[in-house]
Amino acid sequence: MQEQGQITLRDMVHHLLQVEDETWGRYAFSRELLKKRIQPGQQTEMIANAIACGRAYARRMIREHGTRDASELAGKLKLKVEFREVSMTGKRVLFASYAPPDQIIIMKEPVEQAVRLIAEEDPGIVELFTQTGIINTILGHEMFHFVEEQLEQEIYTRTEKICLWNFLGWKNYSTIRTLSEIGAMAFTQELNGLEYSPFILDVLLYYGYDAASAQKIFRDVLEVSSGRCRETEDYE
């Protein structure tokens, strides 16, 4: 029985399928540790650049290696892909990780559970979230982090930095982790030809372990989206 105030997975997924890439980028920035050092206008520009970067490098990989199949591309890049059951970091479930220089680890249990939940909640969108499709989406995301490592001197998500402090001419610069995540999502979206943002997997994969936290992510995205709408209305 659905508790009062809870949102069904079906309703969340259908709504999130319509969320625009910029909104997802703003949601990602809302969790960025350095966000207070970056003005909203700068964030908007950075989001657009990170999305463009991810898409461009996906097209580059497809062009250079002659495939957009994530598994095949991983092989051509000589990546070692390992599947495990599930990994917990404290109370947090780890879905996948990239371990330099060439290993990608993907957890099977969250994917299998998400596929079952979608089949139970809404069979009509099962084709959007097949096990192979979700795995390829995750693989593409982690693959981008490998590409970043290989091309860190040129790729936007690594070359864009902010100054943390400036003392007597000495400056300390830092990359912005959120840009890497936004770029990775855009990369795998382009690589896999997805019509929706892969950020939706943050909700879908987490729901089976902690529905309340998945719903909080959903509400956070709605809040970011409504804030953007109000911001736009102010300028009209």
Side-chain angles (χ1 to χ4, degrees):
M1 182 176 179
Q2 191 76 23
E3 294 182 14
Q4 188 174 4
Q6 284 192 333
I7 310 162
T8 65
L9 179 61
R10 179 185 183 281
D11 288 344
M12 287 193 291
V13 169
H14 276 268
H15 188 95
L16 294 175
L17 286 171
Q18 309 303 317
V19 173
E20 297 179 350
D21 292 336
E22 183 184 344
T23 297
W24 282 113
R26 288 180 176 275
Y27 158 71
F29 252 111
S30 73
R31 304 190 296 176
E32 168 61 51
L33 294 176
L34 301 175
K35 64 182 178 182
K36 292 183 179 179
R37 295 176 178 268
I38 307 170
Q39 296 298 316
Q42 288 179 289
Q43 290 184 22
T44 299
E45 183 178 354
M46 288 178 175
I47 290 168
N49 288 340
I51 291 172
C53 169
R55 290 173 178 168
Y57 278 87
R59 291 192 291 268
R60 174 173 165 177
M61 292 298 109
I62 293 167
R63 183 173 64 252
E64 290 182 356
H65 298 283
T67 182
R68 66 184 315 130
D69 180 275
S71 296
E72 186 176 349
L73 181 56
K76 288 178 178 289
L77 293 174
K78 295 181 169 48
L79 285 164
K80 301 170 186 174
V81 182
E82 178 183 344
F83 292 92
R84 297 180 185 174
E85 287 304 315
V86 68
S87 179
M88 298 290 292
T89 304
K91 293 183 178 180
R92 185 172 180 271
V93 180
L94 181 67
F95 303 132
S97 65
Y98 164 62
D102 59 5
Q103 185 179 36
I104 291 176
I105 299 169
I106 298 176
M107 307 306 163
K108 294 191 299 182
E109 184 184 87
V111 176
E112 293 168 351
Q113 185 165 248
V115 171
R116 286 197 301 271
L117 285 170
I118 285 293
E120 293 169 2
E121 291 264 348
D122 191 351
I125 59 171
V126 166
E127 71 278 3
L128 294 178
F129 301 104
T130 64
Q131 183 163 319
T132 299
I134 294 176
I135 287 174
N136 283 341
T137 300
I138 295 171
L139 179 56
H141 179 109
E142 300 304 329
M143 203 181 302
F144 178 78
H145 295 316
F146 167 77
V147 173
E148 282 184 305
E149 289 286 329
Q150 301 301 304
L151 305 172
E152 63 179 347
Q153 298 301 317
E154 67 173 67
I155 195 165
Y156 171 76
T157 52
R158 289 294 182 88
T159 60
E160 180 66 79
K161 298 179 181 181
I162 61 171
C163 184
L164 295 182
W165 51 260
N166 181 354
F167 180 71
L168 298 178
W170 293 92
K171 297 181 180 180
N172 181 26
Y173 289 90
S174 173
T175 55
I176 304 161
R177 177 171 168 73
T178 292
L179 298 183
S180 178
E181 291 305 299
I182 294 171
M185 291 300 190
F187 180 94
T188 196
Q189 184 177 21
E190 181 76 19
L191 178 65
N192 289 287
L194 303 177
E195 296 182 359
Y196 57 86
S197 172
F199 270 110
I200 198 173
L201 293 182
D202 280 4
V203 173
L204 181 55
L205 293 177
Y206 208 64
Y207 188 87
Y209 296 93
D210 188 343
S213 293
Q215 289 165 5
K216 184 182 184 306
I217 295 172
F218 173 73
R219 292 190 175 95
D220 288 346
V221 174
L222 287 189
E223 184 177 343
V224 170
S225 180
S226 62
R228 178 58 179 164
C229 289
R230 287 194 299 270
E231 186 179 299
T232 302
E233 289 168 0
D234 289 341
Y235 286 92
E236 289 180 347

